[in-house]
Amino acid sequence: MFIDCGGGARVLVRALIGKMTTSNKEPVIIYGAGSSGRQLATALNAGPEYFVNAFIDDDVTKYGSIVQGIPIRAFDDIHELIKKRKATKILLAMPSATRARRKEVLAQLEPLTIKVLSIPGMADIVEGKAQLTEFRDVGIEDLLGRDPVTPKPELMIANIANKVVMVTGAGGSIGSELCRQIVKIKPTKLVLFERSEIALYSIEKELAEYITRLNLAIELIPIMGSVQRVNRLETVMRTFGVKTIYHAAAYKHVPLVEHNVVEGVCNNVFGTYYAAKAAVEANVDTFVLISTDKAVRPTNVMGATKRMAELMLQGLAQDQGIKHKTRFCMVRFGNVLGSSGSVVPLFRRQIKEGGPITLTHPDITRYFMTIPEAAQLVIQAGAMGKGGDVFVLDMGNSVKIKDLATKMVRLSGLEIKTDTNPHGDIEIKCTGLRPGEKLYEELLIGDNVEQTPHERIMTAHEVMLPLSELNVFIDALDIACHNFEHEKIRQLLLDAPTGFNPTDGICDLVWNARLKNEPKDNTENVTNVVNLSNQ
């Protein structure tokens, strides 16, 4: 007798096959049951690595629904999904959500100590720069929760569109992003001025590909050179008819400048002065200095040199309209995410290697901003400059670095190792403040601050040096650097209105090595030489 089991057998077979198919896949939860989340689930279930055992969504009307065989659950159910269904990852499928909203979601997920990954932004997916299933670590910008303000078009184009623009330090973190933003605004020429051969090669190649892909009529001019050579700067500016300069070339790493004082002064102070003087001689219209929050009441040489660079431009601005037409302005901001000196890539590497995470002090705080937002605000501030302006970017709230490290560890699915949790995964070690390092940074000197038409750009009124005094100071500092007179360099930086209040003695490596190796009677020998020379 033949018995047809019919649909029941087929359902059973499909169930068994489905179970076998998913048994070797990693169970995950998708946060977000919108169109992106559903597309992601389809792609994952068809692939070999993951199967989706639930959606989490904020929309209460979706709870209890089943999409593609996957239930939509409330956030309150997430503990059960992780423990009973053994989900190993949460995938954020919220490409259109604001950063503020993503920050709220991540704050909920952080205590779960489960690895959280994100799908690429919708713009990258649409432009073909990324695939939906190319998961990424949670962006630090999402942890900060700061949504960028849409740039004002009239300010973005004012100094760039149909003009010849030059960026010094074009291969650096800020310089390269300025270049990326500038080419979108379509200058006629973009001069990339950079001392590092590999950095110049990299940014030129990237921009050339972008220009070719979009068929833009922009001439790229890669120039190798140092801002410490005024003749080179002026020749380049005159030859190509530069009208706008963004001066990003500088040494910015605090401990390295502490250990190499003369080079820090030569590059940051005189490099700015020479670039500015060359701009005046070449009839450049606008010169924008990229400054830093470390220029405010500086405790280190780097900050003092950047404040001195500001004073240089403020001094030259006094002759605007009398001896020259160049408008000078400065833009201060704090740390940028993903820069060459940022803690974020360091922490990511340390987490990947199993720790420990190293930070200098448990209470240290910093301001952070994304590089694209910083570059856009620099461009807009430069368009508002009248001459000698010091602009300050609104960086939002300062961030405690230890809290940032903790969030990064937990969202990687790991636990912090402490005395109360000795079996944790990653230890956070404090190594002590480095030479010249502050616990916190400031953005302003005094309280004489005004709002500009842009909600995230303010202007500060600072103490200035009269041009006659500035010239005397420049000559004295130049001689001190040439002769490697570190005590004199230190005193000049203290005497200038920089607010310099060093936390350490002179840390220059060459200087200290020479002092250590000099014979004890060196002072007497030097005195004898001086006396003989005067006879």
Side-chain angles (χ1 to χ4, degrees):
M1 183 174 63
F2 177 76
I3 300 174
D4 183 3
C5 295
R10 287 193 294 273
V11 170
L12 178 61
V13 169
R14 278 200 299 270
L16 290 171
I17 291 173
K19 187 173 182 179
M20 291 170 61
T21 303
T22 60
S23 62
N24 294 323
K25 290 186 176 185
E26 190 175 343
V28 296
I29 299 167
I30 294 179
Y31 199 117
S35 60
S36 295
R38 294 194 297 273
Q39 290 176 48
L40 178 60
T42 300
L44 293 182
N45 286 337
E49 295 182 67
Y50 304 102
F51 79 90
V52 182
N53 61 21
F55 287 108
I56 296 292
D57 203 274
D58 302 321
D59 187 350
V60 296
T61 63
K62 294 179 180 178
Y63 297 165
S65 302
I66 295 178
V67 177
Q68 303 174 19
I70 304 166
I72 301 176
R73 307 282 289 272
F75 183 82
D76 292 343
D77 299 330
I78 202 162
H79 289 280
E80 174 206 341
L81 294 168
I82 293 171
K83 290 181 179 180
K84 292 186 178 179
R85 299 201 180 190
K86 299 181 179 179
T88 58
K89 291 184 178 71
I90 295 176
L91 309 177
L92 291 185
M94 307 166 59
S96 301
T98 64
R99 285 182 184 156
R101 176 57 192 145
R102 291 169 74 88
K103 180 182 179 182
E104 292 174 359
V105 170
L106 291 171
Q108 289 179 296
L109 297 176
E110 183 197 330
L112 301 175
T113 315
I114 185 172
K115 190 169 184 62
V116 180
L117 297 171
S118 179
I119 67 171
M122 192 53 69
D124 287 341
I125 295 172
V126 170
E127 292 176 13
K129 295 179 181 177
Q131 299 295 318
L132 188 67
T133 53
E134 290 178 7
F135 307 128
R136 300 172 177 177
D137 288 327
V138 171
I140 302 303
E141 58 270 24
D142 293 331
L143 295 178
L144 300 180
R146 173 187 168 98
D147 286 304
V149 173
T150 302
K152 297 180 183 294
E154 66 277 13
L155 294 178
M156 291 294 287
I157 68 173
N159 293 329
I160 296 173
N162 300 314
K163 294 187 177 183
V164 180
V165 181
M166 175 172 167
V167 177
T168 69
S173 303
I174 291 295
S176 61
E177 184 60 34
L178 279 167
C179 292
R180 294 182 192 101
Q181 298 291 335
I182 288 167
V183 294
K184 294 177 182 177
I185 307 169
K186 300 177 183 177
T188 56
K189 298 176 184 176
L190 176 56
V191 179
L192 311 171
F193 194 88
E194 173 61 58
R195 71 185 303 174
S196 166
E197 181 183 22
I198 184 61
L200 181 60
Y201 168 79
S202 298
I203 188 61
E204 185 208 6
K205 185 172 184 294
E206 177 188 335
L207 296 177
E209 290 174 354
Y210 177 85
I211 289 169
T212 300
R213 187 167 67 249
L214 296 184
N215 196 28
L216 301 176
I218 301 172
E219 183 182 354
L220 275 185
I221 304 168
I223 299 292
M224 284 198 292
S226 168
V227 292
Q228 296 182 43
R229 294 174 58 199
V230 66
N231 289 344
R232 175 70 164 165
L233 287 163
E234 185 181 338
T235 301
V236 169
M237 294 176 196
R238 284 187 181 279
T239 300
F240 298 106
V242 173
K243 293 301 176 187
T244 302
I245 294 174
Y246 296 96
H247 182 58
Y251 290 143
K252 304 181 181 75
H253 196 272
V254 169
L256 284 179
V257 176
E258 288 293 302
H259 292 153
N260 299 273
V261 172
V262 171
E263 279 303 305
V265 172
C266 288
N267 205 51
N268 293 358
V269 178
F270 289 102
T272 300
Y273 182 65
Y274 295 151
K277 290 283 284 183
V280 167
E281 295 300 322
N283 292 314
V284 170
D285 292 334
T286 304
F287 186 106
V288 183
L289 168 68
I290 312 303
S291 192
T292 170
D293 55 359
K294 293 175 179 62
V296 182
R297 285 182 273 271
T299 59
N300 51 67
V301 175
M302 193 282 276
T305 60
K306 292 298 282 186
R307 178 62 187 132
M308 275 308 312
E310 293 180 352
L311 287 167
M312 298 283 184
L313 297 195
Q314 288 174 305
L316 290 171
Q318 295 170 42
D319 271 348
Q320 182 187 340
I322 302 170
K323 295 183 178 179
H324 65 83
K325 69 170 187 175
T326 307
R327 289 186 305 118
F328 293 104
C329 66
M330 303 122 255
V331 187
R332 284 185 196 149
F333 52 91
N335 299 277
V336 289
L337 296 167
S339 70
S340 56
S342 173
V343 297
V344 173
L346 171 64
F347 287 174
R348 287 205 193 283
R349 178 176 61 78
Q350 290 175 333
I351 292 170
K352 186 176 181 180
E353 293 173 353
I357 285 180
T358 55
L359 64 148
T360 56
H361 194 283
D363 298 323
I364 198 165
T365 64
R366 289 292 181 266
Y367 291 97
F368 286 100
M369 178 182 285
T370 65
I371 297 179
E373 182 182 12
Q376 290 173 1
L377 289 173
V378 164
I379 291 170
Q380 292 172 90
M384 292 190 286
K386 298 173 182 175
D389 315 75
V390 178
F391 292 107
V392 182
L393 303 188
D394 174 9
M395 300 288 296
N397 298 320
S398 62
V399 176
K400 193 171 182 178
I401 302 301
K402 186 175 181 181
D403 291 346
L404 180 64
T406 300
K407 291 177 189 292
M408 291 177 67
V409 170
R410 288 177 174 167
L411 291 170
S412 297
L414 304 171
E415 293 185 4
I416 300 292
K417 184 179 180 180
T418 63
D419 292 340
T420 56
N421 185 27
H423 301 296
D425 305 290
I426 304 288
E427 182 182 5
I428 296 178
K429 282 188 176 181
C430 294
T431 58
L433 290 175
R434 299 171 297 180
E437 189 172 32
K438 279 184 176 183
L439 270 180
Y440 61 93
E441 304 291 357
E442 306 162 271
L443 289 169
L444 305 171
I445 296 175
D447 300 313
N448 194 9
V449 181
E450 295 178 7
Q451 188 63 51
T452 70
H454 196 292
E455 62 187 278
R456 289 197 175 164
I457 302 174
M458 296 168 286
T459 184
H461 298 278
E462 307 286 23
V463 176
M464 295 171 58
L465 269 179
L467 196 53
S468 56
E469 292 182 28
L470 180 65
N471 289 331
V472 172
F473 176 87
I474 290 169
D475 291 341
L477 188 61
D478 188 23
I479 293 169
C481 286
H482 181 76
N483 295 325
F484 300 102
E485 296 173 303
H486 282 269
E487 295 105 327
K488 190 172 287 187
I489 294 169
R490 169 66 62 98
Q491 193 57 52
L492 285 166
L493 293 176
L494 286 167
D495 292 342
T498 60
F500 185 32
N501 184 23
T503 55
D504 300 274
I506 296 171
C507 299
D508 187 89
L509 296 178
V510 175
W511 170 258
N512 282 306
R514 287 175 65 186
L515 285 181
K516 185 177 179 180
N517 295 330
E518 282 178 352
K520 293 181 180 179
D521 61 346
N522 184 62
T523 303
E524 182 181 344
N525 293 338
V526 171
T527 303
N528 290 336
V529 170
V530 172
N531 290 337
L532 286 169
S533 65
N534 291 331
Q535 290 178 359

